[in-house]
Amino acid sequence: MTKSELIARLAERYPQLIAKDADFAVNTILEAMAESLSVGQRIEIRGFGSFALSTRPPRVGRNPKSGERVLVPAKRVPHFKAGKELRERVDIGASAGKGGLDAAAVDDA
């Protein structure tokens, strides 16, 4: 799903929201999340997951074209960890979509 698809789905699901308002809401949320991560804060959305920063240490890499050694500096990268509820919903959706057992079939077995 792209950001524009998310905005369209919000506007469709909530008719009182026009697309411009849905766009503003999505952009505001994403900007707040990016700002929080940029200052080192952790984001936790219950039932969905959490975003945190991982630090990658400096390392020596290689330029693929010339083969020369290049120093790659340390950096912070965002890391997402799915919450339990999201993992369970994705797992059920994946098993139902591939002809696997659904939750009711597992309970009956």
Side-chain angles (χ1 to χ4, degrees):
M1 173 181 279
T2 64
K3 187 166 94 168
S4 59
E5 290 171 340
L6 174 62
I7 292 166
R9 189 174 291 182
L10 274 174
E12 177 184 307
R13 189 169 186 180
Y14 299 100
Q16 68 272 22
L17 274 180
I18 58 175
K20 184 178 177 183
D21 291 339
D23 180 49
F24 180 74
V26 169
N27 286 329
T28 301
I29 290 169
L30 294 177
E31 183 61 35
M33 292 173 72
E35 179 64 29
S36 293
L37 286 172
S38 71
V39 297
Q41 293 179 336
R42 182 174 182 271
I43 300 168
E44 183 175 334
I45 302 170
R46 302 272 177 185
F48 183 71
S50 60
F51 296 86
L53 290 176
S54 296
T55 303
R56 293 188 182 168
R59 62 185 176 84
V60 176
R62 294 211 177 265
N63 180 334
K65 188 172 184 178
S66 66
E68 71 181 71
R69 296 167 53 111
V70 178
L71 179 62
V72 179
K75 60 182 167 182
R76 299 185 314 170
V77 293
H79 174 75
F80 175 73
K81 181 177 179 187
K84 180 180 177 186
E85 185 177 324
L86 177 62
R87 286 193 314 268
E88 289 172 352
R89 288 182 70 177
V90 169
D91 188 43
I92 290 171
S95 62
K98 293 184 179 178
L101 298 175
D102 63 354
V106 173
D107 291 339
D108 293 339

